[in-house]
Amino acid sequence: MRIGISTRALFDLEEEHRVFKTEGVKAYASMQLAREDTVLGKGTGFEVVERLLALNQPGKVPFVEVILLSQNSPDLSLRAFKSIDRYKLGIKTGSFTSGRSLAPFVPAWGIDLFLSNEDADVKGAVEGGAAAARLGNVPKDRNETLAGEVRVAFDGDAVVFGPESDAVYKEQGLDAFLAHEVANADNPMARGPFGNFLHKLSALRQVYLTDADVSKVRIALVTARNAPAHERVVRTLRAWGTPADEAHFVGSRSKAPILRALGAHIFFDDQEKHVLGAATVVPAGHVPGPHDPAMPVIPAN
């Protein structure tokens, strides 16, 4: 599995980014060079990357590879790699493009998932064929979780699954949506933008699966679907061979308390309001989609 991540998603560069926005690239570059030997703080994507890399076994081919993809200049890469070395992260490779689009480098590296704080970077990664999400700030209210585990949580429709069921609701209403999902409960849904990444993550989960059916890699689904629309979700995951360790069918309730109780190390959703709510308690990423941010993707009855 290959994960691409921007320097600002991996590290806390918010102060530097403010300088870039308000004073321009020269002031930003000058600030970075002046702080070249100052270790960067941990960004929103740091913990999940650290935990995924910890799954690799010394002396063996790594299960997880993390690659820096950044529109910074090569001259500014030294601070990032010095901080990586200080934290003992197993990140050795990367691309620094001096403002050029990252899109061509996503397939070149074979990236499965790209994490960034910038919309342009995320859209470039999507164009390059990867699952991608825009991260927010580091959550301040985090539950401590067991060392050695990595917990990844996903929304369902338009993230793991395709958006086809959404169209039924939008065009025909709630009753038609529920009737459609019940009638198609045995028909697996199409893969969404994170469908392929889920398959890769599920394979990694299988590597660490014990006889007690417990893995260091835990997969959770946190979706606004509820009964009777839940059955198609379960049957789709079964048909794909990608079982979830946990599924939370929350209906119209907030997802944040569930995610906090779950202790997710990252959560992906295509609705901005769910991402903003989740980001107060867990690292959360917004998945680009065609939906109006103000409208529910899948309704709860």
Coordinates of all heavy atoms in Angstrom, one line a residue, residues 2-10 66-72 81 91 93-97 100-117 121 124-125 130:
R2 N 0.6 2.2 -0.9 CA 1.4 3.4 -1.0 C 0.5 4.6 -0.6 O -0.6 4.8 -1.2 CB 2.0 3.6 -2.4 CG 3.1 2.6 -2.7 CD 3.9 3.1 -3.9 NE 5.0 2.2 -4.2 CZ 4.9 1.1 -5.0 NH1 3.7 0.8 -5.6 NH2 5.9 0.3 -5.2
I3 N 1.0 5.4 0.3 CA 0.3 6.6 0.8 C 1.1 7.8 0.5 O 2.3 7.8 0.8 CB 0.0 6.5 2.3 CG1 -1.0 5.3 2.6 CG2 -0.7 7.8 2.8 CD1 -1.2 5.1 4.0
G4 N 0.5 8.7 -0.2 CA 1.1 10.0 -0.4 C 0.6 11.0 0.5 O -0.6 11.0 0.8
I5 N 1.5 11.9 1.0 CA 1.0 12.9 2.0 C 1.8 14.2 1.8 O 3.0 14.1 1.5 CB 1.2 12.4 3.5 CG1 0.5 13.3 4.5 CG2 2.6 12.1 3.8 CD1 0.3 12.8 5.8
S6 N 1.1 15.3 1.9 CA 1.8 16.6 1.8 C 2.5 16.9 3.1 O 2.2 16.4 4.2 CB 0.8 17.7 1.5 OG 0.0 18.0 2.6
T7 N 3.5 17.8 3.1 CA 4.2 18.2 4.3 C 3.3 18.8 5.3 O 3.5 18.6 6.5 CB 5.4 19.1 3.9 OG1 4.9 20.2 3.1 CG2 6.5 18.4 3.2
R8 N 2.3 19.6 4.8 CA 1.5 20.3 5.8 C 0.4 19.4 6.4 O -0.1 19.7 7.4 CB 0.8 21.5 5.1 CG 0.1 22.5 6.1 CD -0.1 23.8 5.4 NE -1.1 23.9 4.4 CZ -2.4 24.2 4.6 NH1 -2.8 24.4 5.8 NH2 -3.2 24.2 3.6
A9 N 0.1 18.2 5.7 CA -0.7 17.2 6.3 C 0.0 16.4 7.4 O -0.6 16.0 8.4 CB -1.4 16.4 5.3
L10 N 1.3 16.2 7.1 CA 2.1 15.4 8.0 C 2.6 16.2 9.2 O 2.6 15.7 10.3 CB 3.3 14.8 7.2 CG 4.2 13.9 8.0 CD1 3.5 12.6 8.5 CD2 5.5 13.5 7.2
V66 N 5.2 5.3 2.6 CA 4.7 6.6 2.6 C 5.6 7.5 1.8 O 6.8 7.5 2.0 CB 4.5 7.1 4.1 CG1 4.0 8.6 4.1 CG2 3.5 6.3 4.8
I67 N 5.0 8.3 1.0 CA 5.8 9.2 0.1 C 5.3 10.6 0.2 O 4.1 10.9 0.3 CB 5.5 8.7 -1.4 CG1 6.1 7.3 -1.6 CG2 6.2 9.7 -2.4 CD1 5.4 6.6 -2.7
L68 N 6.3 11.5 0.4 CA 5.9 13.0 0.4 C 5.7 13.5 -1.0 O 6.5 13.3 -1.9 CB 7.1 13.7 1.1 CG 7.3 13.7 2.6 CD1 8.5 14.5 3.0 CD2 6.0 14.1 3.3
L69 N 4.5 14.1 -1.1 CA 4.2 14.8 -2.4 C 3.9 16.2 -2.1 O 3.0 16.5 -1.3 CB 3.0 14.1 -3.1 CG 3.2 12.7 -3.7 CD1 1.9 12.3 -4.3 CD2 4.3 12.7 -4.7
S70 N 4.7 17.2 -2.6 CA 4.6 18.5 -2.1 C 4.9 19.5 -3.3 O 5.7 19.2 -4.1 CB 5.6 18.8 -1.0 OG 5.6 20.2 -0.7
Q71 N 4.1 20.6 -3.3 CA 4.4 21.6 -4.3 C 5.5 22.6 -3.8 O 5.7 23.6 -4.4 CB 3.1 22.4 -4.7 CG 2.1 21.5 -5.5 CD 1.0 22.3 -6.1 OE1 1.2 23.5 -6.5 NE2 -0.1 21.7 -6.2
N72 N 6.1 22.3 -2.6 CA 7.2 23.1 -2.2 C 8.4 22.9 -3.1 O 8.4 21.9 -3.9 CB 7.6 22.7 -0.8 CG 6.8 23.4 0.3 OD1 6.2 24.5 0.0 ND2 6.6 22.8 1.4
F81 N 12.5 16.4 5.9 CA 13.2 15.2 6.1 C 14.0 15.1 7.4 O 14.2 14.1 8.0 CB 14.1 14.9 4.9 CG 13.4 14.3 3.7 CD1 13.2 15.0 2.5 CD2 12.9 13.0 3.8 CE1 12.6 14.4 1.5 CE2 12.2 12.4 2.7 CZ 12.0 13.2 1.6
I91 N 10.1 7.2 6.2 CA 9.8 7.8 5.0 C 11.1 8.3 4.3 O 11.8 9.0 4.9 CB 8.9 9.1 5.2 CG1 7.6 8.7 5.9 CG2 8.6 9.8 3.9 CD1 6.7 9.9 6.3
T93 N 11.2 8.7 0.6 CA 11.1 9.2 -0.8 C 10.0 10.3 -0.9 O 9.2 10.5 0.0 CB 10.6 8.0 -1.7 OG1 9.4 7.4 -1.2 CG2 11.7 7.0 -1.8
G94 N 10.1 11.1 -2.0 CA 9.1 12.1 -2.2 C 9.4 12.9 -3.4 O 10.4 12.8 -4.1
S95 N 8.4 13.7 -3.8 CA 8.5 14.6 -4.9 C 8.2 16.1 -4.5 O 7.2 16.3 -3.8 CB 7.5 14.3 -6.0 OG 7.8 13.0 -6.6
F96 N 9.1 17.0 -4.8 CA 8.9 18.4 -4.5 C 8.9 19.2 -5.9 O 9.9 19.2 -6.5 CB 10.0 18.9 -3.6 CG 9.9 18.3 -2.2 CD1 10.4 17.0 -2.0 CD2 9.3 19.0 -1.2 CE1 10.3 16.4 -0.7 CE2 9.2 18.4 0.1 CZ 9.7 17.1 0.3
T97 N 7.8 19.8 -6.2 CA 7.6 20.2 -7.6 C 7.6 21.7 -7.8 O 7.4 22.2 -9.0 CB 6.2 19.7 -8.1 OG1 5.1 20.4 -7.4 CG2 6.1 18.2 -7.9
R100 N 4.4 23.0 -9.4 CA 3.8 22.2 -10.5 C 2.7 21.3 -9.9 O 2.8 20.8 -8.8 CB 4.8 21.4 -11.2 CG 4.3 20.6 -12.4 CD 5.4 19.8 -13.0 NE 4.9 18.9 -14.0 CZ 5.6 18.0 -14.7 NH1 6.9 17.9 -14.4 NH2 5.0 17.2 -15.6
S101 N 1.7 21.0 -10.7 CA 0.6 20.1 -10.3 C 1.2 18.7 -9.9 O 2.1 18.2 -10.5 CB -0.4 19.9 -11.4 OG -1.3 18.9 -11.1
L102 N 0.6 18.2 -8.8 CA 1.0 16.9 -8.4 C 0.4 15.7 -9.2 O 0.8 14.6 -9.1 CB 0.7 16.7 -6.9 CG 1.3 17.7 -5.9 CD1 0.7 17.5 -4.5 CD2 2.8 17.5 -5.9
A103 N -0.7 16.0 -10.0 CA -1.5 15.0 -10.6 C -0.6 14.0 -11.4 O -0.9 12.8 -11.2 CB -2.5 15.6 -11.5
P104 N 0.3 14.4 -12.2 CA 1.1 13.4 -13.0 C 1.9 12.4 -12.1 O 2.3 11.3 -12.5 CB 2.0 14.2 -13.9 CG 1.4 15.6 -13.9 CD 0.8 15.7 -12.5
F105 N 2.3 12.9 -10.9 CA 3.2 12.1 -10.0 C 2.4 11.1 -9.2 O 3.0 10.2 -8.6 CB 4.0 13.0 -9.1 CG 4.8 14.0 -10.0 CD1 4.4 15.3 -10.2 CD2 6.0 13.6 -10.6 CE1 5.1 16.2 -11.0 CE2 6.7 14.4 -11.3 CZ 6.3 15.7 -11.5
V106 N 1.1 11.2 -9.1 CA 0.3 10.2 -8.3 C 0.3 8.9 -8.9 O 0.7 7.9 -8.3 CB -1.1 10.8 -8.1 CG1 -2.0 9.7 -7.5 CG2 -1.1 12.0 -7.2
P107 N 0.0 8.7 -10.2 CA 0.2 7.4 -10.9 C 1.6 7.0 -11.0 O 1.9 5.8 -11.0 CB -0.5 7.5 -12.2 CG -0.5 9.0 -12.5 CD -0.6 9.7 -11.2
A108 N 2.5 8.0 -11.2 CA 3.9 7.6 -11.3 C 4.5 6.9 -10.1 O 5.3 6.0 -10.2 CB 4.7 8.9 -11.6
W109 N 4.0 7.3 -8.9 CA 4.4 6.7 -7.7 C 3.5 5.5 -7.3 O 3.9 4.7 -6.4 CB 4.3 7.7 -6.5 CG 5.5 8.7 -6.4 CD1 5.5 10.0 -6.7 CD2 6.8 8.4 -6.0 NE1 6.7 10.5 -6.5 CE2 7.5 9.6 -6.0 CE3 7.4 7.2 -5.5 CZ2 8.9 9.7 -5.6 CZ3 8.8 7.3 -5.1 CH2 9.5 8.5 -5.2
G110 N 2.4 5.3 -8.0 CA 1.5 4.3 -7.7 C 0.8 4.5 -6.3 O 0.5 3.6 -5.5
I111 N 0.4 5.8 -6.1 CA -0.3 6.2 -4.9 C -1.7 5.6 -4.7 O -2.5 5.7 -5.7 CB -0.3 7.7 -4.7 CG1 1.1 8.3 -4.8 CG2 -1.1 8.1 -3.5 CD1 1.9 7.9 -3.6
D112 N -2.0 5.0 -3.6 CA -3.3 4.5 -3.3 C -4.2 5.5 -2.6 O -5.4 5.5 -2.8 CB -3.3 3.2 -2.5 CG -2.5 2.1 -3.2 OD1 -3.0 1.7 -4.3 OD2 -1.5 1.6 -2.6
L113 N -3.6 6.3 -1.7 CA -4.3 7.3 -0.9 C -3.4 8.5 -0.8 O -2.2 8.4 -0.5 CB -4.6 6.7 0.5 CG -5.2 7.7 1.5 CD1 -6.5 8.2 1.1 CD2 -5.2 7.1 2.9
F114 N -4.0 9.7 -1.0 CA -3.3 10.9 -0.9 C -4.0 11.8 0.2 O -5.2 12.0 0.1 CB -3.1 11.7 -2.2 CG -2.3 12.9 -2.1 CD1 -1.0 12.9 -1.7 CD2 -3.0 14.2 -2.2 CE1 -0.3 14.1 -1.6 CE2 -2.3 15.3 -2.1 CZ -0.9 15.3 -1.8
L115 N -3.2 12.4 1.1 CA -3.7 13.2 2.1 C -3.0 14.6 2.0 O -1.8 14.7 2.0 CB -3.4 12.6 3.5 CG -4.0 11.2 3.8 CD1 -3.5 10.7 5.1 CD2 -5.5 11.2 3.7
S116 N -3.8 15.6 2.1 CA -3.3 17.0 2.0 C -4.3 18.0 2.7 O -5.4 17.6 3.0 CB -3.2 17.4 0.5 OG -2.8 18.8 0.4
N117 N -3.8 19.2 2.9 CA -4.7 20.2 3.5 C -5.1 21.2 2.4 O -5.9 22.1 2.7 CB -3.9 21.0 4.5 CG -3.6 20.3 5.8 OD1 -2.9 19.3 5.7 ND2 -4.1 20.7 6.9
D121 N -4.3 20.2 -4.3 CA -3.5 19.0 -4.2 C -4.4 17.7 -4.3 O -4.1 16.8 -5.0 CB -2.7 18.9 -2.9 CG -1.5 19.9 -2.9 OD1 -1.2 20.4 -4.0 OD2 -0.9 20.1 -1.9
G124 N -5.8 17.2 -7.7 CA -4.8 16.7 -8.6 C -4.6 15.2 -8.3 O -4.4 14.4 -9.3
A125 N -4.6 14.8 -7.1 CA -4.5 13.3 -6.8 C -5.7 12.5 -7.3 O -5.5 11.4 -7.8 CB -4.4 13.1 -5.3
A130 N -6.1 8.3 -7.6 CA -6.0 7.9 -6.2 C -7.2 8.3 -5.4 O -7.9 9.2 -5.7 CB -4.7 8.5 -5.5

